[in-house]
Amino acid sequence: MYRRNALAAAAAAALFLKASGEEVEAQQAAPGNAPATPFSDSTVRDLARELAKGAYRAPDATLPRGFTDLGYDEYRTLRFNPQAALWRDADRGFQVQLFHRGFLYAQKVELHEVVDRRSRPVPYDPSAFTLGDRAAPPADFGYAGFRIHHQLNTQGVFDEICAFLGASYFRAVGRGLNYGLSARGLAIKTADPAGEEFPVFRAFWLERPHAGANSVVVHALLDSPSAAAAFRFTIRPGDHTVFDVQAVIYPRVEVTAVGVAPLTSMYFFAPNDRAGADDYRNAVHDSDGLMIATSRGEQIWRPLHNPRDLQVSQFAEVNPRGFGLMQRRRDYQGYNDLEALYERRPSLWVEPIADWGPGRIQLVEIPTDSEIHDNVVAFWRPEQPMRPGEEYNYVYRLHWMPVFPGNTELAQIRETRIGAAGRSGRLFVLDIAGGKAGEVPADVTPTLDLSKSAGEIRNPVVQRNAQNGGWRVHFELVPGAARLVELRALLKLGDRPLTETWLYRWTA
């Protein structure tokens, strides 16, 4: 790095770290008068590195009267005026609207605009919001987050394509989709008995796009008691909205329970799991399964489950090709919900760039009695802990899309259904389609490769399914005294897999 850039980055880091301290007197100037400072691709990395050397300080979460006890509906009345959107007055392909602080989003988030490699704070403007009879907060109040708009579905109409709001959460949509599951910058101590740690994005830098741009770049500074990190997002909206992510992590302490590229979703019930669901709808979920592409060429499908007790599943891997939470069922009849429209929720696929080494994909399923709670988390956990003083780099691509196709040579398990089988058993029915499932000669029946960790399998059957041009597999599980059974199934033609590998954890 050139000495000039190094000095500029060090100065920017000093300014930001000082401004983050509670001892600064209102930054000694109104944010709108703050001078522009040099900005380069290393600026946020240098900030994160310096933050990690000191003790953690949570962002300011102090709210004035009128903003402290807002409910969800009240918070939604703090509407941003689209006429005040950043970049609205230029043909830059994107516009930025801002979120007010309040409700669950009390923490102040610093926002900056980058123009010609110089950064300037985005000043807080109360007149850009509908505040009702609430007194306007002070000039240094700041924002809770932001959302980006683009002409995604209709020319001339700027649709919301992604939002960064709350802790390190963000979500996005592709063309024709509605919001569903979320991603996060980093997960720490998820499902830990001592409690989860939620890192926060404490500052963003938005690069002003050039005229007619089809992508936009966002830099983010993440902070938590255990680590600081720098993120660079290159966002390309379309049929499949893609985020190219560069993450550099600087631990403060040794971090063993870390989740890279974490995904968070909701699963309430579906045909494989309707226990206790007295509901007119056929299914309620933002995602219905975890899909994994291994370095060995295997494709895994693990249907989600709303367990009675917290469940953690782990899939050991070296240099995975990808993983994601899918919403495979894409038809209205699968849900019958005119308001939620779960069939329009996106799937989210994580594609690692370069090698991630040894580790495991971890799936956490948390019991829930309502669709308002996100209760599913999936992420990559490296085998070795992250140590203070070291730098950890992860580059990956996020695909927000209807369904990631995966290996198109393999048929997919399109539906998993479970019901009673006599007094002590459970009947499993798997519907399979796609890939080369419809190309099997009429006089050939694929071989079922089926195994279990406990209990007894009875009456396995493989039959053609004229309704979907594929196959149906059904079998009975008699668990006996087992309270948990791991199941694995796939169809083969000779030694070659015809389908992806189906994994399922049955619990009593």
Side-chain angles (χ1 to χ4, degrees):
M1 184 171 61
Y2 291 113
R3 182 174 182 272
R4 179 179 60 190
N5 289 342
L7 292 173
L15 281 172
F16 181 86
L17 292 170
K18 183 180 180 184
S20 297
E22 296 178 356
E23 73 279 3
V24 178
E25 295 181 1
Q27 296 182 316
Q28 292 144 3
N33 299 326
T37 57
F39 185 89
S40 72
D41 287 340
S42 66
T43 298
V44 184
R45 291 200 301 270
D46 292 332
L47 287 169
R49 187 185 299 110
E50 291 302 312
L51 272 178
K53 292 178 182 178
Y56 173 70
R57 283 185 173 181
D60 177 21
T62 305
L63 295 174
R65 186 185 302 274
F67 298 92
T68 54
D69 299 319
L70 298 180
Y72 174 74
D73 291 332
E74 291 176 305
Y75 178 71
R76 286 170 57 88
T77 66
L78 304 179
R79 296 188 181 91
F80 183 82
N81 180 5
Q83 302 300 316
L86 198 64
W87 309 330
R88 185 181 184 279
D89 296 330
D91 180 22
R92 302 193 179 279
F94 297 88
Q95 297 178 8
V96 178
Q97 297 188 20
L98 308 175
F99 289 108
H100 205 280
R101 293 172 61 192
F103 184 43
L104 300 176
Y105 313 111
Q107 291 185 331
K108 179 181 179 180
V109 175
E110 305 281 354
L111 296 182
H112 309 261
E113 183 186 16
V114 177
V115 182
D116 296 331
R117 301 182 71 82
R118 296 185 69 81
S119 168
R120 188 185 300 274
V122 177
Y124 171 69
D125 180 8
S127 68
F129 294 90
T130 301
L131 299 179
D133 58 359
R134 301 177 184 87
D140 63 346
F141 187 65
Y143 298 100
F146 64 95
R147 54 187 177 227
I148 299 177
H149 294 242
H150 177 75
Q151 298 178 76
L152 182 65
N153 297 298
T154 305
Q155 189 67 26
V157 178
F158 279 79
D159 299 304
E160 186 175 336
I161 61 164
C162 66
F164 291 78
L165 178 65
S168 68
Y169 287 90
F170 57 98
R171 56 183 183 168
V173 293
R175 187 169 290 119
L177 299 178
N178 299 337
Y179 277 142
L181 80 170
S182 300
R184 281 192 275 171
L186 204 61
I188 297 178
K189 301 179 182 178
T190 303
D192 190 300
E196 184 168 1
E197 179 178 314
F198 288 92
V200 300
F201 284 138
R202 64 186 310 148
F204 293 93
W205 290 258
L206 288 71
E207 293 192 18
R208 180 189 292 178
H210 59 75
N214 59 10
S215 66
V216 62
V217 175
V218 174
H219 303 261
L221 177 65
L222 179 142
D223 202 10
S224 81
S226 296
F231 284 79
R232 185 183 193 273
F233 303 95
T234 301
I235 301 168
R236 303 193 307 273
D239 289 334
H240 302 165
T241 291
V242 176
F243 283 41
D244 288 330
V245 184
Q246 300 174 27
V248 188
I249 304 164
Y250 300 94
R252 280 191 170 90
V253 298
E254 182 172 286
V255 187
T256 56
V258 63
V260 176
L263 315 179
T264 300
S265 192
M266 179 276 292
Y267 178 92
F268 187 20
F269 67 87
N272 65 298
D273 182 12
R274 290 192 61 96
D278 186 10
D279 199 294
Y280 74 93
R281 295 167 294 183
N282 293 333
V284 173
H285 49 70
D286 285 339
S287 305
D288 55 6
L290 170 68
M291 179 174 166
I292 299 172
T294 74
S295 57
R296 304 177 301 279
E298 184 180 24
Q299 182 169 296
I300 294 172
W301 176 249
R302 165 59 156 80
L304 296 179
H305 179 48
N306 182 0
R308 180 175 179 176
D309 302 301
L310 183 143
Q311 299 281 342
V312 178
S313 304
Q314 304 184 71
F315 308 87
E317 182 60 22
V318 178
N319 300 324
R321 295 182 182 177
F323 68 94
L325 292 174
M326 300 291 107
Q327 182 78 322
R328 278 190 175 173
R329 190 71 189 260
R330 306 306 305 178
D331 62 305
Y332 166 77
Q333 293 300 329
Y335 306 94
N336 284 288
D337 193 320
L338 289 171
E339 296 182 0
L341 298 175
Y342 287 109
E343 68 275 12
R344 297 187 189 177
R345 306 296 172 100
S347 299
L348 181 50
W349 182 252
V350 180
E351 177 191 0
I353 306 299
D355 292 341
W356 281 12
R360 57 190 183 273
I361 294 157
Q362 190 158 308
L363 173 67
V364 179
E365 296 166 299
I366 304 167
T368 184
D369 59 1
S370 171
E371 63 198 278
I372 66 172
H373 302 297
D374 284 343
N375 64 317
V376 176
V377 185
F379 50 78
W380 170 255
R381 174 163 291 178
E383 183 176 273
Q384 297 299 321
M386 294 186 177
R387 304 185 187 281
E390 299 292 330
E391 176 180 294
Y392 298 87
N393 290 268
Y394 289 90
V395 181
Y396 54 96
R397 187 166 289 139
L398 297 175
H399 301 263
W400 308 79
M401 58 200 307
V403 176
F404 188 77
N407 185 345
T408 56
E409 296 289 306
L410 297 175
Q412 295 184 346
I413 287 78
R414 299 290 177 84
E415 198 79 60
T416 299
R417 299 176 182 273
I418 302 177
R423 293 184 177 181
S424 58
R426 303 299 293 169
L427 174 66
F428 286 75
V429 179
L430 314 181
D431 283 327
I432 297 165
K436 295 186 176 181
E439 301 176 19
V440 179
D443 59 345
V444 174
T445 298
T447 301
L448 173 60
D449 185 345
L450 175 61
S451 61
K452 42 58 174 184
S453 64
E456 180 185 355
I457 297 292
R458 295 178 182 173
N459 304 320
V461 175
V462 178
Q463 64 183 125
R464 290 184 183 270
N465 186 343
Q467 302 301 317
N468 65 8
W471 297 85
R472 171 169 284 189
V473 171
H474 53 90
F475 62 90
E476 297 172 15
L477 169 68
V478 181
R483 305 294 295 173
L484 183 153
V485 181
E486 299 283 2
L487 296 164
R488 179 182 182 274
L490 73 156
L491 292 182
K492 292 182 175 180
L493 285 176
D495 293 333
R496 295 184 298 106
L498 177 67
T499 69
E500 63 189 357
T501 301
W502 175 86
L503 301 179
Y504 197 85
R505 174 179 288 178
W506 175 87
T507 55

